[in-house]
């Protein structure tokens, strides 16, 4: 009989079909739905995150694993009541205004989902006003901004300033990343943290929302 470890391994391999069939078989055998998510699907993505951080896995493999995990989650979620779905917190992920680079941002969104966050992927070219509006509407715990251009990273500062002007800066944690971003820049603009890659961002976010 299939077990949680088989499911984790299928996620690690990025094998959509195997993830779907193992998830179905675990559901049909009456396994606890939360255990399927935590001990099978998310456990697989945890290994992916650790290997990616060590340079043992690369972006395309991570994206495949994250997609396979999502296929499994999509089978389990409809069977659970909304309140039964565990979440570390709600994170809004977006690439800043004027910036259309979305590969790293999508990787971040998928890995955060795999790490147990509720993720809303806002997309690219997100203005400070859109970040603030979405944070209010969605009652977000965290904003994760991505920028790939030196010309657009300034929008991160504008976004943080707008959160302050709106009087809601203390309601959300704000983390930033992307190729031109550094810890120094995060400190300078008053972000709560910087991560050089998506796996580190998951650890950073867990620490901030714990
Ligand atoms: Co563009 N581009 N691009 N580009 N592009 C770069 C970024 C560039 C460095 C290339 C270069 O010149 N060497 C350069 C920026 C120079 C600079 O500002 N310093 C550049 C430029 C100039 C441009 C245009 C202006 C080119 C032009 O039109 N003249 C233009 C701008 C368009 C716009 O955005 N308005 C442009 C356009 C494009 C394409 C559309 C062709 C395409 C994007 C396609 C897409 O995203 N759908 C593209 C691409 C693919 C790149 C490169 C080649 C690759 C970027 C990428 O996806 N990397 C890039 C050069 C490079 O990086 N080698 C380049 C893979 C991805 C996984 O990495 O996004 O860095 P990355 O994410 C990493 C980390 O940064 C981190 O996690 C990921 C790893 O785990 N991370 C976060 C990212 N966001 C995070 C958020 C967090 C935490 C971590 O939050 C907490």
């Amino acid at each position: 009989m299939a077990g949680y470890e088989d499911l984790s391994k299928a996620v690690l391999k990025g094998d959509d079909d195997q993830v779907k069939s193992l998830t179905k078989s675990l559901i049909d055998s009456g396994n606890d739905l939360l255990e399927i998510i935590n001990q099978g699907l998310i456990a697989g993505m945890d290994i992916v995150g650790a290997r990616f951080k060590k340079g043992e896995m690369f972006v395309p493999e991570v994206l495949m694993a994250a997609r396979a995990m999502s296929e499994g989650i999509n089978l389990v979620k409809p069977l659970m009541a909304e309140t039964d779905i565990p979440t570390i917190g709600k994170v809004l992920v977006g690439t800043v205004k004027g910036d259309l680079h979305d590969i790293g941002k999508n990787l971040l969104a998928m890995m955060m989902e795999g790490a147990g966050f509720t993720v809303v992927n806002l997309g690219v070219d997100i203005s400070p006003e859109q970040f603030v509006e979405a944070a209010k509407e969605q009652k977000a715990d965290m904003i994760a901004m991505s920028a790939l251009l030196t010309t657009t990273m300034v929008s991160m500062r504008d976004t943080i300033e707008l959160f302050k002007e709106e009087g809601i800066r203390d309601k959300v944690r704000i983390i930033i990343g992307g190729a031109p971003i550094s810890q120094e820049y995060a400190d300078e603009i008053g972000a709560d943290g910087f991560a050089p890659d998506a796996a580190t961002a998951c650890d950073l976010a867990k620490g901030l929302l714990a």
Side-chain angles (χ1 to χ4, degrees):
M1 204 188 73
Y4 297 134
E5 206 181 320
D6 302 303
L7 183 55
S8 296
K9 282 185 185 156
V11 170
L12 193 57
K13 279 193 282 174
D15 187 334
D16 295 26
D17 291 338
Q18 211 185 355
V19 167
K20 280 193 272 186
S21 73
L22 286 170
T23 304
K24 271 190 200 134
S25 120
L26 287 163
I27 293 170
D28 293 344
S29 315
N31 286 272
D32 184 78
L33 298 174
L34 256 186
E35 279 184 15
I36 300 177
I37 293 184
N38 289 330
Q39 296 178 36
L41 298 163
I42 291 184
M45 269 317 280
D46 280 346
I47 304 171
V48 172
R51 291 198 181 171
F52 177 60
K53 234 171 156 178
K54 282 196 254 169
E56 293 169 4
M57 276 181 92
F58 300 99
V59 172
E61 298 163 289
V62 176
L63 289 172
M64 280 170 69
R67 198 186 53 206
M69 180 216 56
S70 299
E71 298 278 3
I73 299 259
N74 289 343
L75 293 174
V76 182
K77 259 192 183 168
L79 306 175
M80 298 175 84
E82 198 62 35
T83 47
D84 290 343
I85 300 170
T87 177
I88 304 173
K90 188 181 255 189
V91 184
L92 308 186
V93 175
T95 304
V96 299
K97 188 177 174 184
D99 200 323
L100 304 176
H101 294 86
D102 70 355
I103 300 167
K105 181 265 297 167
N106 288 343
L107 181 67
L108 174 74
M110 286 172 152
M111 291 198 73
M112 291 198 93
E113 192 162 34
F117 295 89
T118 300
V119 175
V120 180
N121 190 338
L122 297 176
V124 296
D125 192 18
I126 304 299
S127 67
E129 291 77 14
Q130 286 171 303
F131 273 115
V132 166
E133 208 43 54
K136 285 183 188 168
E137 248 176 54
Q138 305 269 355
K139 298 190 172 44
D141 300 299
M142 178 173 279
I143 308 294
M145 286 189 274
S146 177
L148 266 284
L149 301 170
T150 44
T151 49
T152 58
M153 58 193 268
V154 290
S155 186
M156 292 174 158
R157 185 196 295 271
D158 297 343
T159 303
I160 291 176
E161 287 308 314
L162 191 58
F163 271 93
K164 285 186 193 158
E165 281 167 33
E166 294 283 320
I168 54 167
R169 176 66 187 90
D170 58 340
K171 300 253 186 310
V172 284
R173 299 292 192 166
I174 302 181
I175 61 172
I176 61 173
I181 310 302
S182 62
Q183 183 61 54
E184 290 68 37
Y185 187 64
D187 295 340
E188 186 190 317
I189 67 173
D192 295 305
F194 154 77
D197 58 66
T200 309
C202 293
D203 295 340
L204 172 70
K206 279 182 191 164
L208 287 168
L209 292 183

